[in-house]
Amino acid sequence: MTVNIKSTIMRKRKKELIKLLNGCSRTEVYFSPKDCLLLKANSEFPRNWFVECRFYDPEYKEAYPYPKGFQYRKKFSGDDLQVLKLTAKLFKEEMEKMLDEKKFNPISKNYMTERKTYFHPYMPFVKALEKAYDNLKSSWSKNHAKEVKRCIGHVNNIKDKLDFSELLISDVRTWHIKTILDELELTNSVFNKSRSYLQACFKELTQYGCCENNPVNGVSKKIEEETIREVISENKLKYVFKFLQDKYYTFFRYGKIFFYSGGRTTELFRVQKKHVDLINQEYKVLIKKGKQYTWVKKVIIPASYSYWKEVIDLCEDNDDFLFSKNLEPGSVAISAKQISIRWKRHVKDKVIKDDHGEIIEVTEDFYSLKHLFLDKLDEMSTAPIIPIESPSQRMANHTTENTTNIYTKGKTSRKNADLKRIKLII
């Protein structure tokens, strides 16, 4: 029984392919006659010999005239057994050197360089992830793309430790992904985000036939503790705005516009003068959710109108971004991270006092302004001017409407008319 198991393992090892560049592979180089190097000087032997291996290239898969790969063979003949043996050894070494070191492709008859755009199942798995990232990054925000790239970098850094360096994308299984994520020792939140990043990349790779199924789907999410976001109080925000108005006016102005918009900085930073209609108290914003981009009309409520007009009047060109360098109109879009940096530098790290000289400690994030505004809108939902449907959902573009609204083209305009009359001032 033990002998049979050992012989099976040996046969399996002989059939294993040697991996080459660009997903190509080959068998071991073998001789014909099979045991020619063991022939004795006084034995009968054939005069025609050859060395051979089977070469596989995924790029030529559909064009193979050979169903079992390309037969790469070197023939030779002679009458002297010792010369034949020496020639067999030399030809074997030369064939291995040509294939493994010089990267010779016997099908194309060229020396291979790394292919840059071709997807195939025999790619090293990290290289496949990097190519999937290159395909997808244009559909993501810069920050999201940066996080995905960082995640792939972590995977690349740990693959050697896990002995996954030679792992091909077609051979990746759920247990590989789970092992990698566990070994990175991530928090539950980062674990789930990393899982999501890899899942998106593998979804792309399955469409190119690099793997049959998405191996990340089988990795379970970890339980995250839900943290309660601090929401800045109305009274505290009043003094923050007063401080900013005196010290950092452009940030104050942006804070007012952001607060009364109920939107996101990433969206507002893409708004240009041509997107704003002050007469109708509206502006267009590009909402990016996944791969879906949608232009949406949003409302400028009365409390923020003067700030919008102030910014619009400063624009010199119709294509100017409203919030460029120094949060003033300009031709260059800036990163949304500027706001978090400014909030820490100009608010959290500063001494802000109330009317009685008491120091106000600000620990809340800038984004909490949005939550305060939406909370205030919900408090007004029972007022006659506000319909039963939540105004905060509309200001924040949360889609909970019935599908039939798709066919009532004028309904959004009629609903938003009441938002333009909201009297909310902080």
Side-chain angles (χ1 to χ4, degrees):
M1 182 70 177
T2 305
V3 175
N4 290 338
I5 293 174
K6 286 183 178 179
S7 61
T8 301
I9 293 173
M10 290 302 293
R11 286 197 301 272
K12 183 178 179 181
R13 285 178 178 169
K14 287 181 180 179
K15 293 180 180 179
E16 287 180 351
L17 298 177
I18 297 170
K19 300 176 182 66
L20 304 172
L21 193 64
N22 295 328
C24 296
S25 57
R26 68 170 177 85
T27 64
E28 291 282 355
V29 177
Y30 53 90
F31 301 104
S32 179
K34 184 178 180 181
D35 296 319
C36 58
L37 299 183
L38 301 178
L39 292 172
K40 303 297 182 181
N42 57 354
S43 61
E44 292 291 328
F45 60 90
R47 270 45 180 176
N48 296 315
W49 290 24
F50 63 81
V51 295
E52 178 183 287
C53 74
R54 293 279 175 170
F55 183 88
Y56 301 87
D57 184 342
E59 190 169 31
Y60 290 87
K61 186 176 182 181
E62 300 301 326
Y64 275 154
Y66 313 103
K68 296 183 179 180
F70 180 82
Q71 190 179 53
Y72 185 31
R73 177 179 290 181
K74 292 285 187 179
K75 298 179 181 179
F76 54 99
S77 59
D79 297 320
D80 188 318
L81 181 60
Q82 295 304 317
V83 172
L84 286 172
K85 286 184 177 182
L86 180 60
T87 303
K89 291 179 181 178
L90 291 175
F91 274 28
K92 180 177 182 293
E93 291 175 4
E94 179 61 20
M95 183 175 287
E96 290 172 342
K97 184 176 181 180
M98 288 284 287
L99 294 170
D100 300 345
E101 297 180 20
K102 296 185 177 181
K103 316 299 182 187
F104 180 68
N105 187 321
I107 301 177
S108 65
K109 309 300 182 187
N110 292 315
Y111 293 92
M112 294 186 291
T113 56
E114 185 175 344
R115 296 177 190 137
K116 297 183 183 298
T117 59
Y118 184 72
F119 282 94
H120 54 80
Y122 308 104
M123 299 174 68
F125 88 103
V126 173
K127 187 167 293 296
L129 289 174
E130 291 170 345
K131 285 186 177 294
Y133 164 82
D134 289 337
N135 267 22
L136 295 168
K137 64 182 179 181
S138 62
S139 65
W140 295 328
S141 68
K142 288 184 179 179
N143 288 338
H144 183 82
K146 186 177 180 180
E147 292 304 315
V148 177
K149 187 173 183 179
R150 180 183 287 119
C151 174
I152 295 173
H154 291 327
V155 173
N156 184 49
N157 290 338
I158 206 168
K159 72 179 189 301
D160 294 337
K161 178 182 177 181
L162 299 173
D163 200 24
F164 291 167
S165 302
E166 303 299 321
L167 185 63
L168 301 181
I169 189 62
S170 57
D171 294 331
V172 176
R173 299 293 180 265
T174 296
W175 73 268
H176 292 114
I177 304 300
K178 174 66 172 169
T179 302
I180 289 169
L181 293 177
D182 285 347
E183 192 64 28
L184 289 173
E185 298 182 347
L186 309 169
T187 65
N188 287 6
S189 175
V190 177
F191 179 99
N192 291 340
K193 287 178 181 178
S194 299
R195 174 189 175 277
S196 176
Y197 301 152
L198 295 175
Q199 190 175 40
C201 291
F202 273 98
K203 182 179 179 180
E204 182 79 356
L205 291 168
T206 57
Q207 297 178 65
Y208 285 98
C210 294
C211 37
E212 292 184 7
N213 301 294
N214 191 327
V216 188
N217 291 345
V219 178
S220 300
K221 289 184 178 180
K222 292 195 173 184
I223 298 174
E224 297 182 45
E225 288 186 14
E226 187 175 350
T227 57
I228 300 175
R229 182 187 290 271
E230 286 186 284
V231 179
I232 194 167
S233 69
E234 184 177 344
N235 186 60
K236 184 183 290 188
L237 183 58
K238 180 180 70 173
Y239 291 110
V240 169
F241 275 151
K242 184 178 179 180
F243 174 81
L244 291 177
Q245 187 174 16
D246 292 338
K247 302 293 185 181
Y248 309 100
Y249 182 77
T250 58
F251 190 24
F252 158 78
R253 183 174 60 204
Y254 175 75
K256 284 286 190 177
I257 290 175
F258 172 85
F259 175 76
Y260 289 117
S261 74
R264 302 175 180 87
T265 292
T266 51
E267 297 164 5
L268 288 172
F269 274 18
R270 290 194 290 266
V271 175
Q272 296 167 279
K273 181 183 178 182
K274 62 186 177 184
H275 300 145
V276 182
D277 181 357
L278 286 177
I279 295 175
N280 292 308
Q281 289 179 235
E282 293 176 344
Y283 66 98
K284 290 191 299 183
V285 65
L286 185 61
I287 306 292
K288 294 184 178 182
K289 292 186 177 179
K291 290 188 176 182
Q292 185 175 0
Y293 291 9
T294 308
W295 282 99
V296 175
K297 279 188 177 181
K298 302 195 71 174
V299 171
I300 299 173
I301 69 173
S304 65
Y305 182 87
S306 62
Y307 302 110
W308 279 94
K309 186 177 185 307
E310 189 178 320
V311 174
I312 291 297
D313 289 344
L314 290 171
C315 291
E316 297 180 357
D317 190 276
N318 217 29
D319 290 327
D320 277 352
F321 293 95
L322 301 192
F323 308 106
S324 184
K325 187 177 180 181
N326 196 35
L327 298 180
E328 295 177 317
S331 59
V332 179
I334 62 174
S335 170
K337 284 190 173 182
Q338 284 290 324
I339 296 304
S340 297
I341 294 171
R342 288 171 185 269
W343 183 255
K344 182 179 186 304
R345 184 182 300 160
H346 299 330
V347 176
K348 287 186 173 182
D349 293 347
K350 295 294 183 180
V351 176
I352 301 175
K353 298 181 179 180
D354 63 15
D355 292 337
H356 304 290
E358 297 293 328
I359 295 176
I360 296 174
E361 185 179 1
V362 179
T363 57
E364 300 85 354
D365 293 330
F366 180 82
Y367 200 72
S368 70
L369 274 64
K370 174 179 177 177
H371 293 273
L372 174 61
F373 174 68
L374 297 181
D375 284 345
K376 298 299 292 183
L377 282 184
D378 278 343
E379 288 177 10
M380 299 174 66
S381 61
T382 56
I385 195 172
I386 304 296
I388 293 175
E389 179 192 358
S390 170
S392 64
Q393 290 178 356
R394 286 180 282 140
M395 288 297 291
N397 292 105
H398 295 161
T399 55
T400 58
E401 289 289 312
N402 191 291
T403 308
T404 55
N405 289 343
I406 296 172
Y407 304 99
T408 55
K409 302 297 183 183
K411 190 173 182 180
T412 300
S413 296
R414 293 192 297 272
K415 290 189 306 181
N416 285 343
D418 58 273
L419 291 174
K420 297 174 185 178
R421 302 194 303 273
I422 286 179
K423 297 187 183 301
L424 172 62
I425 299 177
I426 293 179

